[in-house]
C-alpha cells in the first residue's frame, strides 16, 4: 500500500501524465482523460488556447474542464461566447455548459452574462446560470443578491434550489437557516439529502454543522456527514490538499 505522502505525490503528477497522453489518445480515451482532469481540477488551457472545437464529441467535457483554467483570458472568452449564444438559437443546447464553467471565473464579464442568462426563458439556461452564481464575491453585490432573491421564488423548483444554495454560499442568513433546518430534520431522508446538497453546492459556511453531524450516534448520518465534509475540503484544497 502507498503511504499518504506517496499517494499525494502520485496524485499530484497524475493529471499531467493524463494530459500528456491527450493529443495521441483515441476519442473515447480523450473524453475519459478530460473527465478525470476535471476531478483533478487540472488546468487544460494549454490544450485549448482557444475554445474547444464545437464539432468535437468531447466538447462538453473540455468546456467543463475550463472551469479550472488559470488563464485570466478564459473567463472573458467563455463569457463572450455565452453572450453570443444567449442571443441566438444556434448554441442553445450548448449554452448551459459554458454557463456552468463560468462558476470558476470571478470576472465581471462572467457575472454580467450569468445575471442575464438567469432570467432567460430557456429552463436549462436559467438553471445553469443560477447555479453558477455565488461561487465568488460578487462584483456588484446588490445586483447579484437582488437577482438571487427573485430567483428564489422562481416557478421552477431546480432554479429555486440553486438560488437558495447560491445565497447560502454568499452567507445570506435566511438561506443558511433553510439549509440548517434540513440538516436538523427528524426525517432521515430529508437530512441526508440536505447533507449531500450542502457538499455538492459548496456551502462551506455549514462545514461546522457537518462536522458536528459527523459525531452523530446514527452511523449512516455520521458517515454521510463525514463524506460531505471531506467533499467540501476537496473543493477548497483539491484532491492533493
Amino acid at each position: 500500500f502507498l503511504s499518504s505522502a506517496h499517494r499525494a505525490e502520485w496524485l499530484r503528477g497524475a493529471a499531467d501524465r493524463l494530459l500528456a497522453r491527450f493529443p495521441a489518445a483515441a476519442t473515447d480515451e480523450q473524453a475519459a482523460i478530460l473527465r478525470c482532469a476535471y476531478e483533478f481540477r487540472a488546468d487544460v488551457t494549454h490544450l485549448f488556447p482557444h475554445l474547444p472545437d464545437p464539432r468535437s464529441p468531447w466538447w462538453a467535457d473540455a468546456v467543463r474542464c475550463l472551469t479550472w483554467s488559470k488563464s485570466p483570458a478564459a473567463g472573458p472568452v467563455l463569457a463572450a461566447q455565452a453572450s453570443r449564444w444567449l442571443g441566438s438559437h444556434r448554441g442553445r443546447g450548448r449554452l448551459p455548459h459554458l454557463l456552468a464553467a463560468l462558476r470558476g471565473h470571478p470576472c465581471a464579464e462572467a457575472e454580467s452574462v450569468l445575471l442575464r442568462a438567469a432570467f432567460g426563458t430557456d429552463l436549462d439556461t436559467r438553471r445553469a446560470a443560477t447555479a453558477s452564481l455565488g461561487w465568488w464575491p460578487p462584483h456588484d453585490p446588490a445586483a447579484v443578491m437582488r437577482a438571487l432573491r427573485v430567483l428564489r421564488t422562481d416557478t421552477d423548483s431546480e432554479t429555486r434550489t440553486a438560488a437558495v444554495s447560491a445565497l447560502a454560499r454568499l452567507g445570506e442568513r435566511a438561506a443558511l437557516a433553510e439549509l440548517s433546518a434540513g440538516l436538523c430534520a427528524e426525517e432521515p431522508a430529508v437530512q441526508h439529502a440536505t447533507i449531500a446538497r450542502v457538499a455538492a453546492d459548496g456551502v462551506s459556511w455549514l462545514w461546522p454543522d457537518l462536522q458536528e453531524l459527523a459525531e452523530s450516534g446514527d452511523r449512516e448520518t455520521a458517515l454521510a456527514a463525514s463524506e460531505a465534509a471531506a467533499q467540501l475540503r476537496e473543493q477548497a484544497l483539491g484532491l492533493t490538499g
Side-chain angles (χ1 to χ4, degrees):
F1 293 96
L2 291 173
S3 68
S4 59
H6 285 143
R7 177 178 177 273
E9 183 179 354
W10 185 89
L11 285 172
R12 276 192 290 271
D16 288 340
R17 291 192 295 272
L18 285 169
L19 295 179
R21 280 190 55 81
F22 184 85
T27 299
D28 288 349
E29 186 181 358
Q30 287 179 326
I33 287 171
L34 290 171
R35 288 193 290 271
C36 289
Y38 177 82
E39 297 301 328
F40 278 109
R41 297 194 173 200
D43 188 347
V44 300
T45 310
H46 65 288
L47 294 178
F48 310 108
H50 306 289
L51 286 179
D53 186 343
R55 296 169 296 182
S56 302
W58 36 254
W59 179 88
D61 290 312
V63 168
R64 188 167 175 247
C65 281
L66 289 174
T67 302
W68 314 126
S69 173
K70 295 180 175 63
S71 169
V77 168
L78 287 165
Q81 182 62 67
S83 182
R84 285 191 290 271
W85 283 352
L86 190 58
S88 72
H89 293 283
R90 181 182 177 187
R92 177 169 292 181
R94 296 177 182 269
L95 180 56
H97 298 290
L98 289 174
L99 297 172
L102 286 175
R103 62 169 272 196
H105 298 281
C107 60
E109 294 90 341
E111 182 171 291
S112 176
V113 77
L114 288 173
L115 288 174
R116 286 174 53 207
F119 290 97
T121 56
D122 181 72
L123 189 56
D124 289 336
T125 295
R126 193 158 76 247
R127 289 172 175 174
T130 304
S132 287
L133 288 165
W135 290 94
W136 21 270
H139 291 268
D140 186 343
V144 171
M145 297 299 283
R146 183 167 57 249
L148 289 172
R149 285 168 176 152
V150 171
L151 291 163
R152 182 164 53 188
T153 65
D154 195 88
T155 55
D156 173 59
S157 62
E158 288 190 33
T159 301
R160 292 197 302 272
T161 296
V164 171
S165 292
L167 286 166
R169 284 193 293 272
L170 294 173
E172 196 221 40
R173 290 183 180 181
L176 288 170
E178 181 176 329
L179 290 174
S180 292
L183 292 176
C184 298
E186 294 183 4
E187 176 58 47
V190 174
Q191 185 182 49
H192 291 178
T194 307
I195 288 171
R197 176 182 170 188
V198 166
D201 290 354
V203 186
S204 57
W205 288 87
L206 296 179
W207 194 330
D209 302 67
L210 292 178
Q211 290 180 314
E212 185 175 341
L213 284 173
E215 302 298 324
S216 169
D218 180 79
R219 184 175 179 275
E220 289 188 7
T221 299
L223 179 60
S226 295
E227 291 178 346
Q231 187 175 339
L232 283 180
R233 183 178 183 277
E234 286 181 1
Q235 288 177 3
L237 303 176
L239 285 174
T240 59

